[in-house]
Amino acid sequence: MVRVICLLIGYIFGLFQTAYFYGKAHGIDIRQHGSGNSGTTNALRVLGTKAGLIVFAGDCLKCMAAVWLVRLLFGESYHNIIYLLCLYTGAGAILGHNYPFYMNFKGGKGIAATAGMVLSFHPYFIITGVLLFFIPFFTTHYVSLGSLLVYAGLMIQLVIFGQMGFFAEMTQGQLIEMYIVFGFLLVLAYWKHRENIKRLIHGNERKTYLFKKNKVEVEDEKSEKRAYGKD
């Protein structure tokens, strides 16, 4: 039952669509511009660097807040499986971000929310996540590539740490459950990025820059959507 509660807490927090609300505050529906995705990358491309950073922070913090609440509520009574509960909470927040019921279940791709989950999980995983995202991103300027590598790397790290006894209070069955939860998130991330993966393979994925103009001009939006689909 506690696992379901953690999922629900995460989902409720995940429903706060930062890109959508930020866009509305500036007179646009982010879903009608650029790629149509309600997430950090589209906000960055459509509204600029400042908007992208604000949206990333908002989506990241909502997951962190959910995990912190779960730690506060269940940290003492479920201390032996608190890392597992944190993953369930993060999974709920990512699902809430990706599939908000009040937006016809069309949200973002959950990468910023995943960053929030990692930041509130354990410091060792933060280092891995930062390196796996920013090294390929600043080298290639492909957000999708960095995002996919983060998930793959963290999955490997989680299993290695688990089998080495890093989560000492958890049983093998609980460790396997934790691997399954994160494995589900990994599969979901790759599914949400399936069009990006195709473009990466064919060499026509769009590059994104933090300090250069990424704004999508109004007259180019139709061609943008045709080229990038559900980005």
Side-chain angles (χ1 to χ4, degrees), residues 90-155:
I94 292 167
L95 289 172
H97 176 78
N98 290 358
Y99 305 105
F101 71 89
Y102 65 94
M103 292 172 60
N104 296 319
F105 300 97
K106 183 183 179 182
K109 294 183 178 179
I111 299 304
T114 299
M117 180 180 69
V118 174
L119 287 171
S120 54
F121 188 71
H122 194 281
Y124 287 166
F125 289 81
I126 297 174
I127 297 171
T128 302
V130 168
L131 292 176
L132 286 175
F133 179 81
F134 283 105
I135 291 177
F137 172 68
F138 283 124
T139 302
T140 67
H141 298 287
Y142 293 140
V143 173
S144 56
L145 178 61
S147 302
L148 295 170
L149 288 176
V150 164
Y151 260 104
L154 290 176
M155 182 77 229

Side-chain angles (χ1 to χ4, degrees), residues 66-122:
V67 173
W68 288 337
L69 178 59
V70 164
R71 285 185 180 274
L72 180 65
L73 294 175
F74 305 117
E76 291 187 10
S77 53
Y78 291 92
H79 63 88
N80 60 314
I81 59 167
I82 192 61
Y83 287 111
L84 177 60
L85 297 184
C86 287
L87 278 187
Y88 272 106
T89 307
I94 292 167
L95 289 172
H97 176 78
N98 290 358
Y99 305 105
F101 71 89
Y102 65 94
M103 292 172 60
N104 296 319
F105 300 97
K106 183 183 179 182
K109 294 183 178 179
I111 299 304
T114 299
M117 180 180 69
V118 174
L119 287 171
S120 54
F121 188 71
H122 194 281

Side-chain angles (χ1 to χ4, degrees), residues 1 4 7 19 23 26 33 36 43 87 99 103 113 127 137 179-180 197:
M1 185 62 183
V4 175
L7 271 172
H26 288 77
H33 297 266
L87 278 187
Y99 305 105
M103 292 172 60
I127 297 171
F137 172 68
Y179 305 155
I180 291 173
I197 293 172

